[in-house]
Amino acid sequence: MYRVQTFWFLLVWLGLVIARRLNDVSEGDKCKLANGTGDGICTDARDCPYLRTVPQTDWITCGFNKSEPIVCCGPGDVTIKSTKTKSRVSLISERMCESFSMSGLSHHVFGGSIAAVNEFPHVAALGYLEDGTIKFRCGSSLISERYLLTAAHCVKEQKPQLARFGVVHLFEVNPQEPPVDIGFKNSIIHPNYTSRPLRNDIALLELDRSITEPFIHPACLYTNLTDPEPHVILSIEGWGSTDPNDFDSSPILLKANVTTLDREGCNSTLVQDKSRRSLGPLQNEQLCALGRNLRNETVGDTCVGDSGGPLELILGHRRYLVGVTSSGRLCGSTWPGVYTRISRYIDWVESIVWKS
């Protein structure tokens, strides 16, 4: 009896192994795209331009390579890795991105939801000394162990005193998990920055020490010169105002989903602004984004206090900074938010952050 049971157990086990092998797909294998739209190839999510042309609900996962998802990738023209602004094997920022660990005055996240602890380990609030106290008025993103990326207008008129990392609640300090406050050694505003009209609104802040905390990680730079498609979901985060009539900072880090707007549609809106701080027409180094639901109602926007914060694309466990929150007009309205296109400044960023 024991031998019979053992024999049948081995047959069942062998059948399961064979079935698993038959169903296994890995990188390079053929796969079926969602909704019967055709065939694809199982590809590392970071290398699949197809993900920028379809809604996230239509992504098909083949498996995982360590913590990075392998997805069923349809036809595409370029990849994040292979897009160059220089004729060389790869960009420094792209090579550095591969080494990053990942964990899961213009503006704010209007209509956003509360971020989870450590959900955005690259985001830092910028604190300014006013009347003997620290006021937080802008956001920023860590892009290396020593540098933050932010908006130039967050640095031009008044230099921030510190960057606050590692918190969702900005003011309620937990003694067991205190915020990480780091000062600055230097600030570098883009040499062609102008406030009127608002152009080249991007700056770098050098921390006065390197990041050593294991829960703080840099984000990657989006180097593709083509913006994510209008139906690809992007994320914005910040501690800015949650009320268009109240400019006080939100005490809690908020997040919201947005999508890009096509340049023609964005320009048709921007040129209607007849105020003295007109933003239009959209420049090559700028892009538009706004949150929407199926009824075309605003569901997420930036507002006062979010400037300098990220507009990002999430692929697997990596976050790619597509834009820097720059400007807008009305919080949570049909007016689009304007962001500085990071892909247009890769050479400038690299020449400072990873100078040889």
Side-chain angles (χ1 to χ4, degrees), residues 43-52 71-74 78-79 315:
T43 307
D44 189 310
R46 296 167 294 179
D47 301 335
C48 179
Y50 173 77
L51 299 186
R52 298 193 297 277
V71 299
C72 192
C73 187
V78 291
T79 66
L315 290 180

Side-chain angles (χ1 to χ4, degrees), residues 281-340:
L282 199 67
Q283 299 298 297
N284 194 42
E285 74 276 3
Q286 297 171 318
L287 64 90
C288 287
L290 189 61
R292 285 280 176 259
N293 62 17
L294 295 178
R295 295 186 300 276
N296 203 36
E297 297 168 342
T298 298
V299 293
D301 191 13
T302 45
C303 193
V304 177
D306 286 320
S307 285
L311 170 70
E312 60 189 71
L313 171 67
I314 301 174
L315 290 180
H317 288 273
R318 295 192 185 278
R319 300 174 182 278
Y320 291 87
L321 301 179
V322 175
V324 174
T325 303
S326 177
S327 190
R329 190 164 175 242
L330 298 173
C331 309
S333 71
T334 57
W335 203 267
V338 176
Y339 300 81
T340 303

Side-chain angles (χ1 to χ4, degrees), residues 217-258:
H217 307 297
C220 299
L221 301 181
Y222 184 83
T223 60
N224 197 322
L225 295 178
T226 302
D227 294 334
E229 295 291 330
H231 50 252
V232 174
I233 301 299
L234 304 177
S235 177
I236 53 174
E237 305 94 45
W239 286 276
S241 167
T242 56
D243 184 341
N245 300 311
D246 182 358
F247 291 167
D248 287 341
S249 296
S250 164
I252 301 174
L253 179 62
L254 298 179
K255 62 180 180 178
N257 291 335
V258 299

Side-chain angles (χ1 to χ4, degrees), residues 17 21 46 55 69 122 146 172 218 221 226 229 241 259 262 270 274 335 342-343:
V17 170
R21 290 287 178 85
R46 296 167 294 179
H122 56 287
R146 202 71 187 247
E172 295 179 10
L221 301 181
T226 302
E229 295 291 330
S241 167
T259 58
D262 67 272
L270 294 180
K274 305 302 181 182
W335 203 267
I342 291 174
S343 63

Side-chain angles (χ1 to χ4, degrees), residues 32-92:
K32 293 292 183 182
L33 299 173
N35 303 322
T37 53
D39 295 329
I41 299 294
C42 293
T43 307
D44 189 310
R46 296 167 294 179
D47 301 335
C48 179
Y50 173 77
L51 299 186
R52 298 193 297 277
T53 63
V54 296
Q56 285 170 297
T57 52
D58 289 341
W59 294 6
I60 300 296
T61 302
C62 298
F64 289 86
N65 178 11
K66 296 181 180 178
S67 61
E68 296 296 339
I70 306 300
V71 299
C72 192
C73 187
D77 51 354
V78 291
T79 66
I80 290 176
K81 285 186 182 178
S82 64
T83 302
K84 310 287 193 300
T85 56
K86 296 179 181 178
S87 56
R88 57 182 179 180
V89 176
S90 65
L91 295 167
I92 298 172

